[in-house]
């Protein structure tokens, strides 16, 4: 457990935050469709990972208010990236499903971002690459805590 009163731990947390933010910004610029906001892309990514969801479930997963998610889903639907269907058990609700067009766009986006990261990794030595590979599951865990 990091001790943020200890200078080394505080510096490490600060360096991690800064590096993750800078890398995230650089990755956000590697988009396939510039007309989508980062939030819209995140919703599509959540649907790709988790499958069909209600707007309320998406709002919780994306940490936004339900009215905001309703607007995001409407925008994605107008762009042909999601479809709304009746909930199989509760006809008062709708479920959101990504379309084939969204799947194709997300795959192209992943390829572009992966290629960008691969080009950065080429600048690492073998020890740095091994450390990064070992850190990937830990970073994934942090992203989902």
């Amino acid at each position: 457990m990091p001790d943020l009163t200890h200078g080394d731990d505080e510096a490490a947390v600060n360096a991690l935050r800064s590096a993750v933010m800078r890398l995230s910004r650089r990755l956000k610029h590697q988009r396939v469709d510039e007309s989508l906001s980062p939030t819209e892309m995140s919703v599509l990514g959540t649907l790709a990972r988790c499958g069909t969801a209600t707007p309320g479930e998406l709002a919780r997963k994306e940490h936004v208010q339900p009215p905001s998610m309703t607007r995001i889903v409407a925008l994605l639907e107008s762009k042909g990236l999601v479809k709304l269907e009746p909930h199989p058990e509760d006809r008062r609700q709708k479920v959101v499903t990504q379309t084939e067009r969204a799947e194709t766009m997300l795959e192209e986006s992943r390829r572009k971002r992966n290629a960008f990261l691969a080009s950065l990794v080429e600048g690492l030595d073998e020890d740095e690459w091994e450390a990064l590979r070992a850190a990937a599951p830990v970073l994934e865990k942090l992203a989902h805590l």
Side-chain angles (χ1 to χ4, degrees):
M1 185 67 73
D3 177 6
L4 296 184
T5 61
H6 188 267
D8 289 345
D9 285 348
E10 184 178 9
V13 167
N14 188 52
L16 178 62
R17 177 198 48 77
S18 178
V20 167
M21 288 179 65
R22 278 194 311 271
L23 186 56
S24 177
R25 274 195 300 272
R26 291 181 70 188
L27 281 168
K28 284 179 185 177
H29 290 290
Q30 303 300 312
R31 296 190 325 201
V32 171
D33 187 336
E34 293 291 326
S35 71
L36 294 178
S37 72
T39 302
E40 291 168 328
M41 285 295 291
S42 181
V43 169
L44 291 177
T46 296
L47 287 170
R49 277 188 313 281
C50 301
T52 299
T54 66
E57 290 166 339
L58 285 172
R60 281 189 295 284
K61 289 177 182 183
E62 292 295 314
H63 307 284
V64 299
Q65 294 298 313
S68 296
M69 185 55 66
T70 299
R71 285 190 296 277
I72 293 165
V73 167
L75 282 168
L76 291 171
E77 184 180 32
S78 72
K79 294 175 182 181
L81 298 170
V82 300
K83 58 186 175 183
L84 285 169
E85 299 172 323
H87 191 284
E89 297 162 9
D90 183 352
R91 295 290 179 190
R92 295 169 298 168
Q93 290 194 58
K94 300 278 186 184
V95 291
V96 183
T97 306
Q98 72 175 2
T99 64
E100 190 174 310
R101 181 175 173 213
E103 289 175 30
T104 300
M105 188 201 61
L106 283 172
E107 184 55 38
E108 288 175 28
S109 181
R110 277 188 214 104
R111 271 195 296 275
K112 184 175 183 179
R113 290 174 183 187
N114 285 349
F116 172 73
L117 278 175
S119 72
L120 294 178
V121 167
E122 288 176 2
L124 301 178
D125 65 32
E126 202 54 44
D127 290 338
E128 290 169 328
W129 173 228
E130 185 57 37
L132 188 57
R133 285 180 29 195
V138 177
L139 292 171
E140 182 69 23
K141 182 178 179 178
L142 284 177
H144 294 286
L145 286 180

